[in-house]
Amino acid sequence: ALTGSMWRMSARSAARRLVSALPEGRGLDAVMWRRRHCVIVSILWCNVAGLALFGIARGYGVEHSVLEAATLAGFGVVATQPRGGRRLRSAVAAAGLMAASAVLVHLWSGAIEAHFSFFVMVALLSVYQDWVPFLVALAFVVLHHGTVGVLHPSAVYDHSDAAEHPWIWALIHGV
């Protein structure tokens, strides 16, 4: 049997092995980060305009569609600010792109095809080469799908099993 101190040493060793097994992104220099961030924020701003138009085309009306787009614009404004540091600005941009995907899913009545936007955005966020925006995106997907799935299932899911078990499907989508 392991004693308390032996167990702690074993747990620390296992934790070190786990951390060393994780992929190790190389930090981007300031110029490269700025270029990539500019592209990501530009895509976020394109989503602001595009989703407003998409909402109008889907029959949600100008007021509803512009309000949805305005929430995304808030992320764009914060991500564009020079203050806050790279990680915070990357995290805000990540949350904005995930929110854009959530708005698309909502405007498309939970269609499975709309969920692919989340995959595209997560892949796009990998250009930051940083765990923070990736983890923000992952947390957003799980919390959004679970919470909205409980409160308003048809805004997230278009099939009955997901509507009946939103947290299970939220975890599936997160994985």
Side-chain angles (χ1 to χ4, degrees), residues 40 42-53 69 72 96-97 100-101 104 117 121:
I40 288 172
S42 295
I43 291 169
L44 175 56
W45 283 112
C46 288
N47 273 273
V48 171
L51 288 169
L53 294 173
L72 301 176
L97 289 176
S101 294
L104 177 64
S117 173
M121 298 306 184

Side-chain angles (χ1 to χ4, degrees), residues 26-86:
R26 303 284 181 239
L28 296 172
D29 63 55
V31 171
M32 187 58 70
W33 180 86
R34 204 172 310 115
R35 283 183 190 156
R36 292 178 184 193
H37 183 68
C38 183
V39 169
I40 288 172
V41 173
S42 295
I43 291 169
L44 175 56
W45 283 112
C46 288
N47 273 273
V48 171
L51 288 169
L53 294 173
F54 184 70
I56 293 166
R58 294 271 303 159
Y60 281 93
V62 173
E63 186 177 317
H64 180 105
S65 301
V66 169
L67 183 61
E68 298 267 359
T71 61
L72 301 176
F75 290 104
V77 168
V78 174
T80 305
Q81 297 300 311
R83 295 182 307 256
R86 287 168 39 161

Side-chain angles (χ1 to χ4, degrees), residues 87-153:
R87 281 217 159 134
L88 175 64
R89 292 167 58 204
S90 299
V92 170
L97 289 176
M98 293 297 106
S101 294
V103 169
L104 177 64
V105 168
H106 158 66
L107 294 174
W108 210 341
S109 304
I112 290 175
E113 296 84 354
H115 284 82
F116 286 101
S117 173
F118 285 104
F119 296 116
V120 171
M121 298 306 184
V122 168
L124 175 64
L125 292 170
S126 70
V127 302
Y128 278 128
Q129 294 180 216
D130 188 348
W131 280 100
V132 172
F134 177 77
L135 293 174
V136 165
L138 175 65
F140 187 101
V141 168
V142 172
L143 292 173
H144 166 262
H145 282 51
T147 304
V148 179
V150 167
L151 299 174
H152 189 30

